[in-house]
Amino acid sequence: MIVSFFRTRGGVRGAGNSIDYLLGKDRAREGARLLQGDPDLSVAIADTSGFSNRYTVGCLSFEEENMPEAQKRQIMQSFEETLLAGLEPDQYNITWV
């Protein structure tokens, strides 16, 4: 598994650009699939936040082409628990694509 975080210049261009890139402007990009979360809520939270770094965009990349859905969800849950240790789920927002 490869983990990458991308520079977003503090969200200067808006979180919507990241979501549009991942899902397409019409949310129907070929090959992209929303796995968890609400992209519109994520954009709204990021774009109204007063923090200088309002959001982070990252990627978990796998070699396996047909990973079972349950395994993806377990990895996502484990990643959240590790990355956001000490936070409750209502203290952060994540959209998985």
Side-chain angles (χ1 to χ4, degrees):
M1 175 174 70
I2 297 172
V3 178
S4 297
F5 290 96
F6 307 105
R7 296 187 74 186
T8 58
R9 293 198 258 172
V12 172
R13 291 185 275 179
N17 287 343
S18 297
I19 294 293
D20 288 348
Y21 174 77
L22 293 170
L23 291 173
K25 287 188 184 246
D26 58 358
R27 305 294 192 257
R29 177 179 289 244
E30 185 176 340
R33 187 166 58 94
L34 180 65
L35 298 173
Q36 181 178 310
D38 179 339
D40 296 322
L41 176 61
S42 295
V43 169
I45 290 170
D47 286 349
T48 59
S49 170
F51 295 108
S52 60
N53 291 318
R54 300 175 301 187
Y55 64 95
T56 300
V57 177
C59 173
L60 301 182
S61 181
F62 301 92
E63 183 175 347
E64 299 85 350
E65 291 184 23
N66 296 313
M67 183 180 294
E69 189 74 20
Q71 188 176 5
K72 289 178 191 176
R73 296 205 178 277
Q74 190 280 325
I75 291 169
M76 290 166 21
Q77 180 67 35
S78 177
F79 185 81
E80 286 182 31
E81 290 170 359
T82 302
L83 182 70
L84 303 163
L87 295 177
E88 296 297 323
D90 65 345
Q91 294 178 302
Y92 61 89
N93 177 273
I94 291 182
T95 295
W96 289 95
V97 178

